[in-house]
Amino acid sequence: IRKLMVQLLDPDFAETLYDPACGTAGFLVDAAEHIVAKYSPWPQPTSLEGDPVRQRDFDAIGDCFYANDVNRQCIRISMMNLFLHGIRNAHVKRANVLSASGGLNDDDMGREYDVVLCNPPFAGLLPKEGIRADLPVVSKRADLLFLALVIRSLRRGGRCAVIVPESLLSGSAGASVDLRRKLVEDFAVRAIISLPKQALFSTLAKVAILVFERPKTTDHFPRSRKIWFYRIHSEEYVSRRPAQGVYQRQNE
């Protein structure tokens, strides 16, 4: 699923990439390997040892990578995972990205990114008085706040793939409706990919991948006139053939 999301956004050299709930940094590793493999004239090696050219590539990529997580243990595992994959200088920081006092400084909260990839936690309510004031939604629900955060973090011309509970796409709560309206009117929603039940071990909720872009200029409001909907029925299809069906249908 991660590789599919990376392929859909197709990150490139010099593009800043952000994961606000990085877990063990799987998105960052997959994105770095995708970028290097895209330009590599030879099969990807299992180790970077003795290959200064490829290590230089990973260093350049890692300097454009940013990630946060609230769990200290996850941050430690992320740093180890990135280092073992040759990504030695990514900006990984422990922080509660939804909180006004969660460990982010003004530069962190004001930074915008070219690519955002995220599989955030859905459950939980946050105390209203502690939530960041710059998020484009008024809610205490974690799923709505994380979607609002990735919207807030996206640079003009940037693109995002985020996993959301499918209930968020059809809920009648005021905050949910307002957030969907903002996405459809102010952004270009490209695709909604419905995943099978229990596709993610971290949640039993039915989830989907939401893919959208932010317009390059304030004069351009795409209003999401055409949105591709996909439904993946089996876990075997997700694990063995992550991209073939999506691209084949889109071309058709």
Side-chain angles (χ1 to χ4, degrees):
I1 294 173
R2 285 200 320 260
K3 290 182 184 298
L4 166 63
M5 294 169 68
V6 169
Q7 290 169 10
L8 288 172
L9 298 192
D10 190 23
D12 212 331
F13 276 110
E15 287 190 321
T16 53
L17 185 145
Y18 181 49
D19 184 351
C22 65
T24 57
F27 276 123
L28 274 63
V29 170
D30 287 346
E33 293 182 343
H34 172 85
I35 294 169
V36 171
K38 185 162 55 169
Y39 296 99
S40 175
W42 56 82
Q44 187 158 334
T46 57
S47 173
L48 294 172
E49 185 176 356
D51 192 344
V53 175
R54 292 184 69 87
Q55 184 58 69
R56 204 160 52 238
D57 290 342
F58 273 95
D59 288 343
I61 292 167
D63 196 45
C64 297
F65 281 6
Y66 296 81
N68 299 115
D69 201 280
V70 71
N71 187 293
R72 188 185 303 274
Q73 188 69 15
C74 280
I75 291 295
R76 291 174 176 170
I77 297 172
S78 293
M79 297 298 294
M80 179 185 68
N81 193 19
L82 291 167
F83 185 82
L84 291 175
H85 285 85
I87 308 164
R88 305 179 296 191
N89 53 348
H91 307 277
V92 180
K93 184 176 184 179
R94 180 174 178 253
N96 181 351
V97 294
L98 303 180
S99 173
S101 56
L104 297 177
N105 57 36
D106 291 342
D107 289 340
D108 296 329
M109 296 177 73
R111 192 179 293 112
E112 295 179 342
Y113 306 90
D114 298 302
V115 176
V116 178
L117 287 156
C118 187
N119 175 25
F122 307 138
L125 299 174
L126 279 73
K128 191 173 182 180
E129 60 276 6
I131 298 173
R132 286 172 54 172
D134 62 337
L135 299 181
V137 69
V138 179
S139 178
K140 297 188 292 184
R141 287 172 44 187
D143 55 350
L144 287 172
L145 291 171
F146 267 108
L147 181 55
L149 173 68
V150 299
I151 288 175
R152 165 67 182 79
S153 302
L154 204 58
R155 177 176 295 165
R156 292 206 170 275
R159 52 210 186 276
C160 173
V162 57
I163 294 179
V164 298
E166 286 196 358
S167 58
L168 186 149
L169 302 174
S170 58
S172 58
S176 179
V177 173
D178 290 344
L179 205 53
R180 292 202 302 271
R181 182 181 294 114
K182 183 174 183 62
L183 271 173
V184 172
E185 293 183 352
D186 297 345
F187 291 77
V189 180
R190 297 304 186 192
I192 296 173
I193 304 170
S194 176
L195 299 178
K197 268 190 176 180
Q198 300 181 354
L200 303 180
F201 291 111
S202 58
T203 178
L204 298 178
K206 190 82 166 59
V207 298
I209 303 171
L210 178 63
V211 184
F212 61 93
E213 302 172 10
R214 187 178 181 186
K216 292 183 179 181
T217 66
T218 55
D219 298 330
H220 178 219
F221 295 98
R223 293 187 178 274
S224 304
R225 293 180 179 176
K226 181 180 290 186
I227 302 173
W228 289 99
F229 284 84
Y230 303 95
R231 180 174 290 111
I232 300 176
H233 292 283
S234 70
E235 293 181 21
E236 182 179 8
Y237 182 83
V238 174
S239 61
R240 293 190 181 181
R241 296 194 300 168
Q244 180 182 349
V246 171
Y247 287 116
Q248 185 177 353
R249 286 189 187 182
Q250 186 167 353
N251 290 336
E252 291 173 356

